[in-house]
Amino acid sequence: MAKYDITYSCGHKGEITLFGKTSERERKIAWYENTGLCPECKKIETIKLTDKLEKELNLPTIEGVSEKQIDYARSLRFKIANNYKKEIQQIKKERIECAECANITDEQIREKAYEEPHSIIGAYYFSYLETNAGVIIDNLKMD
């Protein structure tokens, strides 16, 4: 284990702790300096990407007891919505356009989403229908 002072690609300085062979450490240092963002810039970039996806998909506002809880729920929703973006857009479109699909209730979708939260139907439910931060966190967090 060794600590290194580096300059991230964003220009900020920081200290990282690396393990492993010297060659592997050197490779990681080069990555941080050429590509990696400092923790603060990475957080800002993630928020920008989350905002962009939420606008693009017209996702509802998440409500919670604190900003920290809401931010965490948004980050979990971003991951699953981004992974299943095309599929959840298709489900939303079909629920509007298809009479047979429209007969499937939100409650039926909810039940299936709770059974398999990391499935396509779970991604749809926790992206478009569920707005409670606590419920989103409880179902989407990876233990």
Side-chain angles (χ1 to χ4, degrees):
M1 177 183 86
K3 294 186 182 218
Y4 297 90
D5 292 320
I6 62 162
T7 301
Y8 292 93
S9 67
C10 57
H12 295 114
K13 295 186 184 300
E15 182 179 86
I16 58 171
T17 303
L18 297 176
F19 303 87
K21 295 180 182 178
T22 302
S23 61
E24 190 63 23
R25 293 179 192 185
E26 290 170 354
R27 185 189 66 75
K28 288 180 181 178
I29 290 169
W31 181 86
Y32 279 114
E33 293 180 337
N34 296 319
T35 309
L37 297 175
C38 73
E40 190 59 33
C41 287
K42 186 174 181 175
K43 182 179 178 182
I44 291 167
E45 181 67 19
T46 300
I47 290 169
K48 286 180 185 177
L49 291 172
T50 301
D51 289 344
K52 181 181 176 188
L53 184 71
E54 288 174 347
K55 286 178 185 170
E56 181 183 345
L57 297 179
N58 195 26
L59 299 179
T61 302
I62 294 176
E63 298 173 0
V65 296
S66 69
E67 283 303 311
K68 186 176 180 179
Q69 183 191 44
I70 292 167
D71 289 345
Y72 184 45
R74 287 180 70 213
S75 73
L76 293 173
R77 180 173 74 174
F78 170 80
K79 289 175 188 172
I80 197 163
N82 198 44
N83 285 341
Y84 292 112
K85 186 171 151 181
K86 290 180 182 171
E87 293 87 349
I88 64 176
Q89 286 175 311
Q90 185 65 33
I91 292 170
K92 184 177 181 184
K93 181 180 176 195
E94 287 175 1
R95 288 196 78 202
I96 293 168
E97 296 176 353
C98 170
E100 185 177 317
C101 298
N103 289 332
I104 299 171
T105 66
D106 289 352
E107 184 58 33
Q108 290 170 314
I109 292 172
R110 179 184 170 278
E111 288 173 14
K112 190 69 173 170
Y114 274 56
E115 289 173 17
E116 298 179 51
H118 293 278
S119 65
I120 294 171
I121 201 72
Y124 173 78
Y125 177 79
F126 292 110
S127 295
Y128 282 110
L129 302 177
E130 184 59 66
T131 59
N132 181 299
V135 173
I136 293 169
I137 292 167
D138 288 345
N139 285 279
L140 295 183
K141 71 180 176 189
M142 300 296 264
D143 293 323

